Amino acid sequence: MFERDLSWPLWGVQSLLVITVLFRIKLTQYGRFVREVHENARLSLEKEHECYRFDVSCAPERNEVFLYEIYADATAFDLHKNMSHYLEFSAVTKPWIEEKNVRRFYMRKDNKDG
């Protein structure tokens, strides 16, 4: 797990963007993909000050990798997708991916819906 201090008083915002990604990876490339995604997570937190969390969870018995990411907002996530480390990760791993499902959620400070 890779994360920054996630205390609400430090954020100064009312909501955050949560991104989840579920990958199904080709069996022959699973280990390589896991190494690459961990490096991408590390670099995202190191280089992107509005990326607050980047968890990588693995289910090798299903060739699946699940990501849980938290960003300050949609602009921060768009910046992430244009960073050199992400572009390199995406280009290298694209042929290894059988399926990819990306979803957006919002985390509110007051824990209310909407």
Side-chain angles (χ1 to χ4, degrees):
M1 174 173 55
F2 303 94
E3 69 179 287
R4 299 182 194 283
D5 180 9
L6 296 175
S7 306
W8 275 109
L10 297 177
W11 291 343
V13 296
Q14 294 301 308
S15 68
L16 298 170
L17 177 64
V18 176
I19 300 294
T20 65
V21 187
L22 179 61
F23 292 99
R24 181 165 296 119
I25 307 303
K26 293 178 181 176
L27 177 61
T28 57
Q29 301 301 327
Y30 188 79
R32 291 176 69 193
F33 182 87
V34 169
R35 286 189 296 277
E36 291 289 336
V37 78
H38 274 97
E39 180 65 3
N40 181 55
R42 185 186 69 76
L43 290 171
S44 294
L45 283 170
E46 181 181 297
K47 295 182 176 197
E48 302 169 41
H49 69 278
E50 291 187 318
C51 174
Y52 298 116
R53 186 177 188 119
F54 202 123
D55 293 346
V56 178
S57 301
C58 300
E61 70 280 2
R62 294 188 307 269
N63 298 330
E64 291 180 346
V65 175
F66 178 78
L67 308 182
Y68 180 84
E69 308 168 41
I70 300 176
Y71 296 90
D73 52 29
T75 301
F77 182 57
D78 289 342
L79 175 66
H80 165 74
K81 294 186 296 182
N82 288 291
M83 296 290 290
S84 61
H85 63 270
Y86 173 81
L87 294 171
E88 181 179 335
F89 162 78
S90 185
V92 166
T93 62
K94 186 175 182 175
W96 307 341
I97 298 169
E98 291 181 342
E99 188 177 332
K100 179 180 177 181
N101 182 354
V102 180
R103 298 185 70 187
R104 289 178 182 235
F105 299 89
Y106 296 90
M107 179 189 302
R108 289 183 48 123
K109 180 178 181 178
D110 59 11
N111 292 322
K112 294 181 181 175
D113 293 336

